[in-house]
Amino acid sequence: MSAAAATRRRPASHTTLRGHVRRAAGRDHNPLCRPVDRAYSRLVASAVLTALASFVLAAVAALLVHHVETADARDTARDRHVVTAVTTGPAESVDPRAGRVREQAPARWTYPVGPGAGHVSVPAGTPAGTAVAVGLNGAGQPVDAPRSGELIVAEAVLVGLGTVLVLALVADGCFALRRRRLDRRAERDWESAWEQVEPRWSGRR
C-alpha cells in the first residue's frame, strides 16, 4: 500500500494542542473524526497533564529534600560545639573508596562532660602534638560540620532533575506503547473500511 494510504491510516497528528483538548473532551463534532482520533487526542492530552504533574512532583521532591536537609543542618549546627584537641599520633589516610582519601589522627580533648579521645579529621601530614579544632555534639562525640547551603541546594536540584527524568522515561514508554496500539487499531479500521469502499470506488461492484 502507498505511503499516502499508510499516512491516512494513522490517527491525525497535525491537530493543535487546543484541538486535541477539544476532541478529548468530546467537543469536536467533525463528522470525519474517528473514534481512534478521539482516543489519540485523549492520549495527547493525558501526556501533557502527565508532564505538568511530573514537574510539580519534582518541585515538591526538591523542596522536601531542601527542607529536611536544611533542618538537619540547623540541628547539627545548634548541637555542635568547637573545642581545641591535641593529636596524639600522626595523620593517616582513611576511606580510600571511590577515590576519596581523608586524613585522620588520634586526638584528645577536654569537654564539659569530661575528657574525650578519638580520631578526628586533620590536614594531610599533621604531626602528633598539633592543636586542631574539633566539632563535638552534646555527648562529647566528634561530629562533622553541617552541610553548607550550596550543597543542600545542589542536592535538591539533583533530586528534582532525577525525579523529572524518571517520570519522563516512564511516561514516554507508556505513551509509545499506547500510540503503537492506536496505530495498529487505525490500520485495522482502515483496512476494514477500504474493503467496503474500494469495490465502489474502482467500479468493480
Side-chain angles (χ1 to χ4, degrees):
M1 191 172 291
S2 67
T7 301
R8 287 195 295 270
R9 290 201 306 265
R10 292 178 175 271
S13 59
H14 60 276
T15 307
T16 63
L17 177 59
R18 182 178 180 182
H20 280 302
V21 172
R22 287 177 56 84
R23 183 178 297 165
R27 299 173 61 186
D28 184 354
H29 304 296
N30 187 339
L32 298 180
C33 181
R34 303 166 296 174
V36 69
D37 295 323
R38 294 189 180 92
Y40 180 69
S41 292
R42 288 194 293 269
L43 177 62
V44 172
S46 64
V48 173
L49 292 177
T50 300
L52 294 176
S54 298
F55 282 106
V56 172
L57 290 176
V60 170
L63 290 174
L64 180 61
V65 169
H66 185 273
H67 174 74
V68 171
E69 293 293 339
T70 300
D72 183 67
R74 185 168 54 247
D75 292 341
T76 299
R78 182 171 56 246
D79 190 48
R80 184 173 181 267
H81 306 278
V82 178
V83 301
T84 299
V86 178
T87 59
T88 58
E92 297 179 353
S93 298
V94 296
D95 198 15
R97 294 172 299 176
R100 295 180 301 170
V101 177
R102 295 189 303 167
E103 296 284 334
Q104 285 192 344
R108 293 184 179 278
W109 58 84
T110 300
Y111 197 59
V113 297
H119 284 75
V120 297
S121 298
V122 294
T126 300
T130 302
V132 294
V134 178
L136 305 176
N137 59 20
Q141 300 297 321
V143 291
D144 293 330
R147 304 183 68 186
S148 66
E150 291 78 7
L151 288 177
I152 293 175
V153 170
E155 182 176 356
V157 170
L158 288 177
V159 169
L161 292 177
T163 302
V164 168
L165 178 61
V166 171
L167 294 177
L169 290 175
V170 173
D172 185 65
C174 294
F175 180 89
L177 180 61
R178 178 60 176 164
R179 173 62 187 269
R180 195 175 302 117
R181 291 177 177 175
L182 289 177
D183 285 344
R184 289 198 294 264
R185 174 180 166 186
E187 185 172 351
R188 288 194 304 267
D189 292 347
W190 173 262
E191 295 291 350
S192 177
W194 181 250
E195 289 177 357
Q196 300 177 22
V197 173
E198 190 274 337
R200 288 180 292 179
W201 176 78
S202 61
R204 294 191 297 106
R205 190 177 67 170

